PDB file of all heavy atoms in Angstrom:
ATOM      1  N   VAL Y 130      69.714-152.964 -28.218  1.00  0.00           N
ATOM      2  CA  VAL Y 130      68.462-152.825 -28.952  1.00  0.00           C
ATOM      3  C   VAL Y 130      68.166-151.312 -29.202  1.00  0.00           C
ATOM      4  O   VAL Y 130      68.330-150.525 -28.283  1.00  0.00           O
ATOM      5  CB  VAL Y 130      67.267-153.473 -28.203  1.00  0.00           C
ATOM      6  CG1 VAL Y 130      65.950-153.173 -28.955  1.00  0.00           C
ATOM      7  CG2 VAL Y 130      67.524-154.998 -28.136  1.00  0.00           C
ATOM      8  N   ILE Y 131      67.791-151.023 -30.434  1.00  0.00           N
ATOM      9  CA  ILE Y 131      67.400-149.625 -30.773  1.00  0.00           C
ATOM     10  C   ILE Y 131      65.875-149.571 -30.990  1.00  0.00           C
ATOM     11  O   ILE Y 131      65.396-150.442 -31.725  1.00  0.00           O
ATOM     12  CB  ILE Y 131      68.132-149.095 -31.988  1.00  0.00           C
ATOM     13  CG1 ILE Y 131      69.650-149.265 -31.760  1.00  0.00           C
ATOM     14  CG2 ILE Y 131      67.738-147.697 -32.295  1.00  0.00           C
ATOM     15  CD1 ILE Y 131      70.448-148.855 -32.984  1.00  0.00           C
ATOM     16  N   ILE Y 132      65.237-148.635 -30.321  1.00  0.00           N
ATOM     17  CA  ILE Y 132      63.747-148.530 -30.520  1.00  0.00           C
ATOM     18  C   ILE Y 132      63.567-147.453 -31.600  1.00  0.00           C
ATOM     19  O   ILE Y 132      64.072-146.333 -31.432  1.00  0.00           O
ATOM     20  CB  ILE Y 132      63.118-148.082 -29.260  1.00  0.00           C
ATOM     21  CG1 ILE Y 132      63.311-149.209 -28.176  1.00  0.00           C
ATOM     22  CG2 ILE Y 132      61.584-147.799 -29.406  1.00  0.00           C
ATOM     23  CD1 ILE Y 132      62.894-148.824 -26.786  1.00  0.00           C
ATOM     24  N   THR Y 133      62.906-147.831 -32.751  1.00  0.00           N
ATOM     25  CA  THR Y 133      62.775-146.922 -33.801  1.00  0.00           C
ATOM     26  C   THR Y 133      61.221-146.803 -34.228  1.00  0.00           C
ATOM     27  O   THR Y 133      60.527-147.708 -33.885  1.00  0.00           O
ATOM     28  CB  THR Y 133      63.588-147.351 -35.061  1.00  0.00           C
ATOM     29  OG1 THR Y 133      63.039-148.618 -35.551  1.00  0.00           O
ATOM     30  CG2 THR Y 133      65.011-147.573 -34.698  1.00  0.00           C
ATOM     31  N   VAL Y 134      60.906-145.796 -34.955  1.00  0.00           N
ATOM     32  CA  VAL Y 134      59.600-145.637 -35.540  1.00  0.00           C
ATOM     33  C   VAL Y 134      59.695-145.281 -36.971  1.00  0.00           C
ATOM     34  O   VAL Y 134      60.716-144.755 -37.414  1.00  0.00           O
ATOM     35  CB  VAL Y 134      58.769-144.586 -34.693  1.00  0.00           C
ATOM     36  CG1 VAL Y 134      58.688-144.969 -33.246  1.00  0.00           C
ATOM     37  CG2 VAL Y 134      59.404-143.242 -34.859  1.00  0.00           C
ATOM     38  N   ASN Y 135      58.532-145.466 -37.617  1.00  0.00           N
ATOM     39  CA  ASN Y 135      58.405-144.956 -38.975  1.00  0.00           C
ATOM     40  C   ASN Y 135      58.443-143.385 -38.998  1.00  0.00           C
ATOM     41  O   ASN Y 135      57.811-142.797 -38.117  1.00  0.00           O
ATOM     42  CB  ASN Y 135      57.160-145.437 -39.607  1.00  0.00           C
ATOM     43  CG  ASN Y 135      57.042-145.084 -41.047  1.00  0.00           C
ATOM     44  OD1 ASN Y 135      56.719-143.930 -41.400  1.00  0.00           O
ATOM     45  ND2 ASN Y 135      57.161-146.040 -41.941  1.00  0.00           N
ATOM     46  N   PRO Y 136      59.183-142.788 -39.857  1.00  0.00           N
ATOM     47  CA  PRO Y 136      59.312-141.281 -39.852  1.00  0.00           C
ATOM     48  C   PRO Y 136      58.023-140.600 -40.066  1.00  0.00           C
ATOM     49  O   PRO Y 136      57.882-139.418 -39.668  1.00  0.00           O
ATOM     50  CB  PRO Y 136      60.247-141.062 -40.995  1.00  0.00           C
ATOM     51  CG  PRO Y 136      60.985-142.335 -41.190  1.00  0.00           C
ATOM     52  CD  PRO Y 136      60.048-143.406 -40.882  1.00  0.00           C
ATOM     53  N   THR Y 138      55.342-141.163 -38.440  1.00  0.00           N
ATOM     54  CA  THR Y 138      54.624-141.055 -37.145  1.00  0.00           C
ATOM     55  C   THR Y 138      55.108-139.807 -36.392  1.00  0.00           C
ATOM     56  O   THR Y 138      56.201-139.356 -36.718  1.00  0.00           O
ATOM     57  CB  THR Y 138      54.941-142.251 -36.187  1.00  0.00           C
ATOM     58  OG1 THR Y 138      56.315-142.260 -35.904  1.00  0.00           O
ATOM     59  CG2 THR Y 138      54.616-143.588 -36.974  1.00  0.00           C
ATOM     60  N   PRO Y 139      54.318-139.313 -35.461  1.00  0.00           N
ATOM     61  CA  PRO Y 139      54.718-138.077 -34.770  1.00  0.00           C
ATOM     62  C   PRO Y 139      55.622-138.355 -33.475  1.00  0.00           C
ATOM     63  O   PRO Y 139      56.049-137.417 -32.853  1.00  0.00           O
ATOM     64  CB  PRO Y 139      53.369-137.520 -34.231  1.00  0.00           C
ATOM     65  CG  PRO Y 139      52.522-138.705 -34.077  1.00  0.00           C
ATOM     66  CD  PRO Y 139      52.960-139.717 -35.162  1.00  0.00           C
ATOM     67  N   TYR Y 140      55.892-139.619 -33.243  1.00  0.00           N
ATOM     68  CA  TYR Y 140      56.575-140.019 -32.017  1.00  0.00           C
ATOM     69  C   TYR Y 140      58.073-139.620 -32.085  1.00  0.00           C
ATOM     70  O   TYR Y 140      58.737-139.898 -32.995  1.00  0.00           O
ATOM     71  CB  TYR Y 140      56.428-141.453 -31.753  1.00  0.00           C
ATOM     72  CG  TYR Y 140      55.063-142.034 -32.009  1.00  0.00           C
ATOM     73  CD1 TYR Y 140      54.920-143.126 -32.815  1.00  0.00           C
ATOM     74  CD2 TYR Y 140      53.937-141.360 -31.543  1.00  0.00           C
ATOM     75  CE1 TYR Y 140      53.592-143.620 -33.092  1.00  0.00           C
ATOM     76  CE2 TYR Y 140      52.647-141.840 -31.771  1.00  0.00           C
ATOM     77  CZ  TYR Y 140      52.516-142.970 -32.591  1.00  0.00           C
ATOM     78  OH  TYR Y 140      51.277-143.464 -32.917  1.00  0.00           O
ATOM     79  N   ARG Y 141      58.580-138.952 -30.947  1.00  0.00           N
ATOM     80  CA  ARG Y 141      59.904-138.584 -30.885  1.00  0.00           C
ATOM     81  C   ARG Y 141      60.622-138.979 -29.615  1.00  0.00           C
ATOM     82  O   ARG Y 141      61.810-138.842 -29.460  1.00  0.00           O
ATOM     83  CB  ARG Y 141      60.149-137.109 -31.133  1.00  0.00           C
ATOM     84  CG  ARG Y 141      59.642-136.651 -32.511  1.00  0.00           C
ATOM     85  CD  ARG Y 141      59.993-135.177 -32.833  1.00  0.00           C
ATOM     86  NE  ARG Y 141      59.599-134.889 -34.215  1.00  0.00           N
ATOM     87  CZ  ARG Y 141      60.358-135.136 -35.290  1.00  0.00           C
ATOM     88  NH1 ARG Y 141      61.567-135.603 -35.152  1.00  0.00           N
ATOM     89  NH2 ARG Y 141      59.905-134.809 -36.476  1.00  0.00           N
ATOM     90  N   THR Y 142      59.849-139.470 -28.631  1.00  0.00           N
ATOM     91  CA  THR Y 142      60.382-139.911 -27.345  1.00  0.00           C
ATOM     92  C   THR Y 142      59.598-141.140 -26.891  1.00  0.00           C
ATOM     93  O   THR Y 142      58.560-141.487 -27.434  1.00  0.00           O
ATOM     94  CB  THR Y 142      60.235-138.843 -26.276  1.00  0.00           C
ATOM     95  OG1 THR Y 142      58.803-138.623 -25.984  1.00  0.00           O
ATOM     96  CG2 THR Y 142      60.871-137.536 -26.708  1.00  0.00           C
ATOM     97  N   LEU Y 143      60.166-141.812 -25.877  1.00  0.00           N
ATOM     98  CA  LEU Y 143      59.449-142.961 -25.291  1.00  0.00           C
ATOM     99  C   LEU Y 143      58.123-142.545 -24.641  1.00  0.00           C
ATOM    100  O   LEU Y 143      57.128-143.219 -24.705  1.00  0.00           O
ATOM    101  CB  LEU Y 143      60.273-143.672 -24.240  1.00  0.00           C
ATOM    102  CG  LEU Y 143      61.522-144.494 -24.799  1.00  0.00           C
ATOM    103  CD1 LEU Y 143      62.298-145.054 -23.612  1.00  0.00           C
ATOM    104  CD2 LEU Y 143      61.039-145.576 -25.759  1.00  0.00           C
ATOM    105  N   ALA Y 144      58.138-141.350 -24.068  1.00  0.00           N
ATOM    106  CA  ALA Y 144      56.964-140.794 -23.471  1.00  0.00           C
ATOM    107  C   ALA Y 144      55.838-140.542 -24.552  1.00  0.00           C
ATOM    108  O   ALA Y 144      54.675-140.855 -24.278  1.00  0.00           O
ATOM    109  CB  ALA Y 144      57.268-139.428 -22.773  1.00  0.00           C
ATOM    110  N   ASP Y 145      56.212-140.215 -25.687  1.00  0.00           N
ATOM    111  CA  ASP Y 145      55.250-140.044 -26.821  1.00  0.00           C
ATOM    112  C   ASP Y 145      54.593-141.356 -27.174  1.00  0.00           C
ATOM    113  O   ASP Y 145      53.401-141.424 -27.317  1.00  0.00           O
ATOM    114  CB  ASP Y 145      55.922-139.504 -28.087  1.00  0.00           C
ATOM    115  CG  ASP Y 145      56.380-138.022 -27.939  1.00  0.00           C
ATOM    116  OD1 ASP Y 145      55.912-137.362 -27.019  1.00  0.00           O
ATOM    117  OD2 ASP Y 145      57.175-137.577 -28.777  1.00  0.00           O
ATOM    118  N   ILE Y 146      55.436-142.426 -27.280  1.00  0.00           N
ATOM    119  CA  ILE Y 146      55.007-143.793 -27.554  1.00  0.00           C
ATOM    120  C   ILE Y 146      53.976-144.296 -26.539  1.00  0.00           C
ATOM    121  O   ILE Y 146      52.925-144.741 -26.802  1.00  0.00           O
ATOM    122  CB  ILE Y 146      56.151-144.696 -27.751  1.00  0.00           C
ATOM    123  CG1 ILE Y 146      56.908-144.328 -29.039  1.00  0.00           C
ATOM    124  CG2 ILE Y 146      55.659-146.190 -27.888  1.00  0.00           C
ATOM    125  CD1 ILE Y 146      58.227-145.120 -29.209  1.00  0.00           C
ATOM    126  N   VAL Y 147      54.435-144.118 -25.300  1.00  0.00           N
ATOM    127  CA  VAL Y 147      53.615-144.573 -24.137  1.00  0.00           C
ATOM    128  C   VAL Y 147      52.221-143.842 -24.143  1.00  0.00           C
ATOM    129  O   VAL Y 147      51.178-144.510 -24.025  1.00  0.00           O
ATOM    130  CB  VAL Y 147      54.258-144.409 -22.797  1.00  0.00           C
ATOM    131  CG1 VAL Y 147      53.360-144.728 -21.657  1.00  0.00           C
ATOM    132  CG2 VAL Y 147      55.582-145.281 -22.731  1.00  0.00           C
ATOM    133  N   LEU Y 175      59.318-152.628 -21.559  1.00  0.00           N
ATOM    134  CA  LEU Y 175      58.747-151.235 -21.684  1.00  0.00           C
ATOM    135  C   LEU Y 175      57.247-151.286 -21.397  1.00  0.00           C
ATOM    136  O   LEU Y 175      56.731-150.401 -20.703  1.00  0.00           O
ATOM    137  CB  LEU Y 175      58.997-150.674 -23.060  1.00  0.00           C
ATOM    138  CG  LEU Y 175      58.414-149.296 -23.375  1.00  0.00           C
ATOM    139  CD1 LEU Y 175      58.986-148.270 -22.500  1.00  0.00           C
ATOM    140  CD2 LEU Y 175      58.666-148.863 -24.843  1.00  0.00           C
ATOM    141  N   PRO Y 204      54.027-149.436 -36.846  1.00  0.00           N
ATOM    142  CA  PRO Y 204      54.666-148.136 -36.494  1.00  0.00           C
ATOM    143  C   PRO Y 204      56.000-148.222 -35.799  1.00  0.00           C
ATOM    144  O   PRO Y 204      56.821-147.290 -35.877  1.00  0.00           O
ATOM    145  CB  PRO Y 204      53.580-147.467 -35.581  1.00  0.00           C
ATOM    146  CG  PRO Y 204      52.855-148.596 -34.950  1.00  0.00           C
ATOM    147  CD  PRO Y 204      52.803-149.694 -36.046  1.00  0.00           C
ATOM    148  N   LEU Y 205      56.217-149.287 -34.928  1.00  0.00           N
ATOM    149  CA  LEU Y 205      57.425-149.402 -34.168  1.00  0.00           C
ATOM    150  C   LEU Y 205      58.281-150.568 -34.538  1.00  0.00           C
ATOM    151  O   LEU Y 205      57.729-151.641 -34.879  1.00  0.00           O
ATOM    152  CB  LEU Y 205      57.064-149.520 -32.639  1.00  0.00           C
ATOM    153  CG  LEU Y 205      56.061-148.544 -32.052  1.00  0.00           C
ATOM    154  CD1 LEU Y 205      55.795-148.865 -30.588  1.00  0.00           C
ATOM    155  CD2 LEU Y 205      56.468-147.162 -32.285  1.00  0.00           C
ATOM    156  N   PHE Y 206      59.658-150.412 -34.484  1.00  0.00           N
ATOM    157  CA  PHE Y 206      60.517-151.547 -34.883  1.00  0.00           C
ATOM    158  C   PHE Y 206      61.626-151.479 -33.821  1.00  0.00           C
ATOM    159  O   PHE Y 206      62.284-150.558 -33.655  1.00  0.00           O
ATOM    160  CB  PHE Y 206      61.083-151.243 -36.253  1.00  0.00           C
ATOM    161  CG  PHE Y 206      62.088-152.327 -36.714  1.00  0.00           C
ATOM    162  CD1 PHE Y 206      61.764-153.761 -36.548  1.00  0.00           C
ATOM    163  CD2 PHE Y 206      63.259-151.947 -37.279  1.00  0.00           C
ATOM    164  CE1 PHE Y 206      62.743-154.666 -36.958  1.00  0.00           C
ATOM    165  CE2 PHE Y 206      64.176-152.913 -37.686  1.00  0.00           C
ATOM    166  CZ  PHE Y 206      63.916-154.242 -37.536  1.00  0.00           C
ATOM    167  N   PHE Y 207      61.825-152.659 -33.150  1.00  0.00           N
ATOM    168  CA  PHE Y 207      62.825-152.850 -32.174  1.00  0.00           C
ATOM    169  C   PHE Y 207      63.890-153.817 -32.748  1.00  0.00           C
ATOM    170  O   PHE Y 207      63.520-154.959 -33.023  1.00  0.00           O
ATOM    171  CB  PHE Y 207      62.280-153.424 -30.894  1.00  0.00           C
ATOM    172  CG  PHE Y 207      61.325-152.547 -30.083  1.00  0.00           C
ATOM    173  CD1 PHE Y 207      60.430-151.721 -30.665  1.00  0.00           C
ATOM    174  CD2 PHE Y 207      61.432-152.495 -28.699  1.00  0.00           C
ATOM    175  CE1 PHE Y 207      59.583-150.895 -29.961  1.00  0.00           C
ATOM    176  CE2 PHE Y 207      60.697-151.630 -27.958  1.00  0.00           C
ATOM    177  CZ  PHE Y 207      59.670-150.862 -28.573  1.00  0.00           C
ATOM    178  N   ALA Y 213      68.551-151.870 -37.851  1.00  0.00           N
ATOM    179  CA  ALA Y 213      67.796-150.692 -37.501  1.00  0.00           C
ATOM    180  C   ALA Y 213      68.636-149.360 -37.511  1.00  0.00           C
ATOM    181  O   ALA Y 213      68.186-148.339 -38.104  1.00  0.00           O
ATOM    182  CB  ALA Y 213      67.121-150.837 -36.162  1.00  0.00           C
ATOM    183  N   GLY Y 214      69.797-149.414 -36.880  1.00  0.00           N
ATOM    184  CA  GLY Y 214      70.564-148.201 -36.824  1.00  0.00           C
ATOM    185  C   GLY Y 214      71.011-147.690 -38.161  1.00  0.00           C
ATOM    186  O   GLY Y 214      71.138-146.513 -38.373  1.00  0.00           O
ATOM    187  N   VAL Y 217      68.264-145.768 -39.549  1.00  0.00           N
ATOM    188  CA  VAL Y 217      68.154-144.518 -38.869  1.00  0.00           C
ATOM    189  C   VAL Y 217      69.130-143.521 -39.428  1.00  0.00           C
ATOM    190  O   VAL Y 217      68.776-142.326 -39.803  1.00  0.00           O
ATOM    191  CB  VAL Y 217      68.408-144.649 -37.378  1.00  0.00           C
ATOM    192  CG1 VAL Y 217      68.422-143.319 -36.709  1.00  0.00           C
ATOM    193  CG2 VAL Y 217      67.241-145.482 -36.699  1.00  0.00           C
ATOM    194  N   LEU Y 222      64.278-144.558 -40.908  1.00  0.00           N
ATOM    195  CA  LEU Y 222      63.562-144.785 -39.662  1.00  0.00           C
ATOM    196  C   LEU Y 222      64.030-143.635 -38.675  1.00  0.00           C
ATOM    197  O   LEU Y 222      65.051-143.072 -38.881  1.00  0.00           O
ATOM    198  CB  LEU Y 222      64.018-146.070 -39.079  1.00  0.00           C
ATOM    199  CG  LEU Y 222      63.430-147.372 -39.656  1.00  0.00           C
ATOM    200  CD1 LEU Y 222      64.121-148.591 -38.984  1.00  0.00           C
ATOM    201  CD2 LEU Y 222      62.004-147.498 -39.561  1.00  0.00           C
ATOM    202  N   ARG Y 223      63.224-143.394 -37.642  1.00  0.00           N
ATOM    203  CA  ARG Y 223      63.529-142.394 -36.690  1.00  0.00           C
ATOM    204  C   ARG Y 223      63.935-143.089 -35.383  1.00  0.00           C
ATOM    205  O   ARG Y 223      63.177-143.921 -34.855  1.00  0.00           O
ATOM    206  CB  ARG Y 223      62.395-141.482 -36.380  1.00  0.00           C
ATOM    207  CG  ARG Y 223      62.717-140.395 -35.338  1.00  0.00           C
ATOM    208  CD  ARG Y 223      61.495-139.561 -34.979  1.00  0.00           C
ATOM    209  NE  ARG Y 223      61.010-138.846 -36.188  1.00  0.00           N
ATOM    210  CZ  ARG Y 223      59.739-138.794 -36.578  1.00  0.00           C
ATOM    211  NH1 ARG Y 223      58.799-139.416 -35.867  1.00  0.00           N
ATOM    212  NH2 ARG Y 223      59.374-138.126 -37.643  1.00  0.00           N
ATOM    213  N   GLY Y 224      65.089-142.779 -34.893  1.00  0.00           N
ATOM    214  CA  GLY Y 224      65.537-143.408 -33.631  1.00  0.00           C
ATOM    215  C   GLY Y 224      64.935-142.756 -32.403  1.00  0.00           C
ATOM    216  O   GLY Y 224      64.987-141.576 -32.334  1.00  0.00           O
ATOM    217  N   ILE Y 225      64.375-143.504 -31.551  1.00  0.00           N
ATOM    218  CA  ILE Y 225      63.777-143.023 -30.378  1.00  0.00           C
ATOM    219  C   ILE Y 225      64.600-143.254 -29.080  1.00  0.00           C
ATOM    220  O   ILE Y 225      64.787-142.322 -28.289  1.00  0.00           O
ATOM    221  CB  ILE Y 225      62.441-143.718 -30.143  1.00  0.00           C
ATOM    222  CG1 ILE Y 225      61.486-143.412 -31.274  1.00  0.00           C
ATOM    223  CG2 ILE Y 225      61.745-143.219 -28.806  1.00  0.00           C
ATOM    224  CD1 ILE Y 225      61.136-141.928 -31.480  1.00  0.00           C
ATOM    225  N   ALA Y 226      65.159-144.420 -28.937  1.00  0.00           N
ATOM    226  CA  ALA Y 226      65.949-144.746 -27.703  1.00  0.00           C
ATOM    227  C   ALA Y 226      66.887-145.930 -27.946  1.00  0.00           C
ATOM    228  O   ALA Y 226      66.629-146.781 -28.737  1.00  0.00           O
ATOM    229  CB  ALA Y 226      64.981-145.056 -26.563  1.00  0.00           C
ATOM    230  N   VAL Y 227      67.994-145.914 -27.193  1.00  0.00           N
ATOM    231  CA  VAL Y 227      68.899-147.030 -27.209  1.00  0.00           C
ATOM    232  C   VAL Y 227      68.879-147.710 -25.845  1.00  0.00           C
ATOM    233  O   VAL Y 227      69.003-147.056 -24.826  1.00  0.00           O
ATOM    234  CB  VAL Y 227      70.397-146.507 -27.524  1.00  0.00           C
ATOM    235  CG1 VAL Y 227      71.346-147.651 -27.438  1.00  0.00           C
ATOM    236  CG2 VAL Y 227      70.475-145.791 -28.739  1.00  0.00           C
ATOM    237  N   ALA Y 228      68.557-149.005 -25.849  1.00  0.00           N
ATOM    238  CA  ALA Y 228      68.442-149.785 -24.591  1.00  0.00           C
ATOM    239  C   ALA Y 228      69.837-150.222 -24.109  1.00  0.00           C
ATOM    240  O   ALA Y 228      70.161-151.365 -24.014  1.00  0.00           O
ATOM    241  CB  ALA Y 228      67.534-150.940 -24.800  1.00  0.00           C
ATOM    242  N   ARG Y 232      75.090-144.112 -24.807  1.00  0.00           N
ATOM    243  CA  ARG Y 232      74.706-143.805 -26.148  1.00  0.00           C
ATOM    244  C   ARG Y 232      75.601-144.620 -27.145  1.00  0.00           C
ATOM    245  O   ARG Y 232      76.750-144.899 -26.865  1.00  0.00           O
ATOM    246  CB  ARG Y 232      74.682-142.404 -26.528  1.00  0.00           C
ATOM    247  CG  ARG Y 232      73.660-141.561 -25.761  1.00  0.00           C
ATOM    248  CD  ARG Y 232      73.464-140.207 -26.250  1.00  0.00           C
ATOM    249  NE  ARG Y 232      72.509-139.415 -25.506  1.00  0.00           N
ATOM    250  CZ  ARG Y 232      71.917-138.249 -25.903  1.00  0.00           C
ATOM    251  NH1 ARG Y 232      72.250-137.828 -27.099  1.00  0.00           N
ATOM    252  NH2 ARG Y 232      71.044-137.606 -25.171  1.00  0.00           N
ATOM    253  N   LEU Y 236      75.420-143.282 -33.439  1.00  0.00           N
ATOM    254  CA  LEU Y 236      74.181-142.559 -33.400  1.00  0.00           C
ATOM    255  C   LEU Y 236      74.139-141.694 -32.099  1.00  0.00           C
ATOM    256  O   LEU Y 236      73.351-141.917 -31.192  1.00  0.00           O
ATOM    257  CB  LEU Y 236      72.964-143.528 -33.454  1.00  0.00           C
ATOM    258  CG  LEU Y 236      72.869-144.383 -34.707  1.00  0.00           C
ATOM    259  CD1 LEU Y 236      71.749-145.421 -34.524  1.00  0.00           C
ATOM    260  CD2 LEU Y 236      72.568-143.514 -35.920  1.00  0.00           C
ATOM    261  N   ASN Y 238      73.057-138.895 -31.255  1.00  0.00           N
ATOM    262  CA  ASN Y 238      71.894-138.071 -30.912  1.00  0.00           C
ATOM    263  C   ASN Y 238      70.699-138.818 -30.350  1.00  0.00           C
ATOM    264  O   ASN Y 238      69.706-138.202 -29.970  1.00  0.00           O
ATOM    265  CB  ASN Y 238      71.497-137.294 -32.168  1.00  0.00           C
ATOM    266  CG  ASN Y 238      72.551-136.305 -32.653  1.00  0.00           C
ATOM    267  OD1 ASN Y 238      73.307-135.740 -31.783  1.00  0.00           O
ATOM    268  ND2 ASN Y 238      72.687-136.061 -33.936  1.00  0.00           N
ATOM    269  N   ILE Y 239      70.769-140.184 -30.371  1.00  0.00           N
ATOM    270  CA  ILE Y 239      69.656-140.937 -29.877  1.00  0.00           C
ATOM    271  C   ILE Y 239      69.863-141.182 -28.399  1.00  0.00           C
ATOM    272  O   ILE Y 239      70.881-141.806 -27.994  1.00  0.00           O
ATOM    273  CB  ILE Y 239      69.513-142.300 -30.576  1.00  0.00           C
ATOM    274  CG1 ILE Y 239      69.298-142.052 -32.058  1.00  0.00           C
ATOM    275  CG2 ILE Y 239      68.398-143.072 -29.986  1.00  0.00           C
ATOM    276  CD1 ILE Y 239      69.179-143.345 -32.874  1.00  0.00           C
ATOM    277  N   PRO Y 240      69.008-140.629 -27.483  1.00  0.00           N
ATOM    278  CA  PRO Y 240      69.224-140.892 -26.042  1.00  0.00           C
ATOM    279  C   PRO Y 240      68.962-142.362 -25.661  1.00  0.00           C
ATOM    280  O   PRO Y 240      68.248-143.090 -26.280  1.00  0.00           O
ATOM    281  CB  PRO Y 240      68.149-139.921 -25.443  1.00  0.00           C
ATOM    282  CG  PRO Y 240      67.079-139.784 -26.486  1.00  0.00           C
ATOM    283  CD  PRO Y 240      67.819-139.956 -27.771  1.00  0.00           C
ATOM    284  N   THR Y 241      69.440-142.679 -24.482  1.00  0.00           N
ATOM    285  CA  THR Y 241      69.326-143.985 -23.922  1.00  0.00           C
ATOM    286  C   THR Y 241      67.918-144.048 -23.273  1.00  0.00           C
ATOM    287  O   THR Y 241      67.264-143.068 -22.994  1.00  0.00           O
ATOM    288  CB  THR Y 241      70.327-144.334 -22.839  1.00  0.00           C
ATOM    289  OG1 THR Y 241      70.184-143.440 -21.742  1.00  0.00           O
ATOM    290  CG2 THR Y 241      71.753-144.177 -23.429  1.00  0.00           C
ATOM    291  N   THR Y 242      67.536-145.319 -22.920  1.00  0.00           N
ATOM    292  CA  THR Y 242      66.296-145.529 -22.243  1.00  0.00           C
ATOM    293  C   THR Y 242      66.339-144.889 -20.825  1.00  0.00           C
ATOM    294  O   THR Y 242      65.383-144.302 -20.332  1.00  0.00           O
ATOM    295  CB  THR Y 242      66.014-147.000 -22.072  1.00  0.00           C
ATOM    296  OG1 THR Y 242      67.224-147.706 -21.656  1.00  0.00           O
ATOM    297  CG2 THR Y 242      65.517-147.604 -23.392  1.00  0.00           C
ATOM    298  N   ALA Y 243      67.534-144.950 -20.184  1.00  0.00           N
ATOM    299  CA  ALA Y 243      67.697-144.390 -18.856  1.00  0.00           C
ATOM    300  C   ALA Y 243      67.463-142.911 -18.854  1.00  0.00           C
ATOM    301  O   ALA Y 243      66.929-142.291 -17.992  1.00  0.00           O
ATOM    302  CB  ALA Y 243      69.063-144.715 -18.319  1.00  0.00           C
ATOM    303  N   GLU Y 244      68.009-142.206 -19.961  1.00  0.00           N
ATOM    304  CA  GLU Y 244      67.855-140.817 -20.042  1.00  0.00           C
ATOM    305  C   GLU Y 244      66.410-140.405 -20.173  1.00  0.00           C
ATOM    306  O   GLU Y 244      66.070-139.207 -19.909  1.00  0.00           O
ATOM    307  CB  GLU Y 244      68.660-140.350 -21.285  1.00  0.00           C
ATOM    308  CG  GLU Y 244      70.117-140.326 -21.118  1.00  0.00           C
ATOM    309  CD  GLU Y 244      70.888-139.892 -22.362  1.00  0.00           C
ATOM    310  OE1 GLU Y 244      71.149-138.713 -22.479  1.00  0.00           O
ATOM    311  OE2 GLU Y 244      71.136-140.748 -23.271  1.00  0.00           O
ATOM    312  N   GLN Y 245      65.526-141.322 -20.599  1.00  0.00           N
ATOM    313  CA  GLN Y 245      64.120-141.027 -20.772  1.00  0.00           C
ATOM    314  C   GLN Y 245      63.247-141.601 -19.684  1.00  0.00           C
ATOM    315  O   GLN Y 245      62.057-141.749 -19.800  1.00  0.00           O
ATOM    316  CB  GLN Y 245      63.648-141.511 -22.107  1.00  0.00           C
ATOM    317  CG  GLN Y 245      64.448-140.824 -23.318  1.00  0.00           C
ATOM    318  CD  GLN Y 245      63.906-141.247 -24.627  1.00  0.00           C
ATOM    319  OE1 GLN Y 245      62.742-141.046 -24.977  1.00  0.00           O
ATOM    320  NE2 GLN Y 245      64.761-141.865 -25.464  1.00  0.00           N
ATOM    321  N   PHE Y 247      63.672-144.678 -17.974  1.00  0.00           N
ATOM    322  CA  PHE Y 247      63.562-146.055 -17.858  1.00  0.00           C
ATOM    323  C   PHE Y 247      64.933-146.745 -17.723  1.00  0.00           C
ATOM    324  O   PHE Y 247      65.458-147.474 -18.590  1.00  0.00           O
ATOM    325  CB  PHE Y 247      62.833-146.733 -19.090  1.00  0.00           C
ATOM    326  CG  PHE Y 247      61.474-146.188 -19.271  1.00  0.00           C
ATOM    327  CD1 PHE Y 247      61.203-145.102 -20.129  1.00  0.00           C
ATOM    328  CD2 PHE Y 247      60.434-146.804 -18.649  1.00  0.00           C
ATOM    329  CE1 PHE Y 247      59.868-144.756 -20.252  1.00  0.00           C
ATOM    330  CE2 PHE Y 247      59.077-146.373 -18.776  1.00  0.00           C
ATOM    331  CZ  PHE Y 247      58.851-145.299 -19.613  1.00  0.00           C
TER     332      PHE Y 247
END
Side-chain angles (χ1 to χ4, degrees):
V130 171
I131 303 176
I132 300 172
T133 67
V134 300
N135 184 286
T138 67
Y140 319 129
R141 296 187 177 276
T142 66
L143 287 178
D145 291 343
I146 292 173
V147 172
L175 176 62
L205 313 179
F206 177 49
F207 291 42
V217 170
L222 287 173
R223 179 185 300 133
I225 299 297
V227 179
R232 296 192 182 196
L236 299 171
N238 294 326
I239 301 180
T241 66
T242 46
E244 290 177 89
Q245 299 185 60
F247 296 95

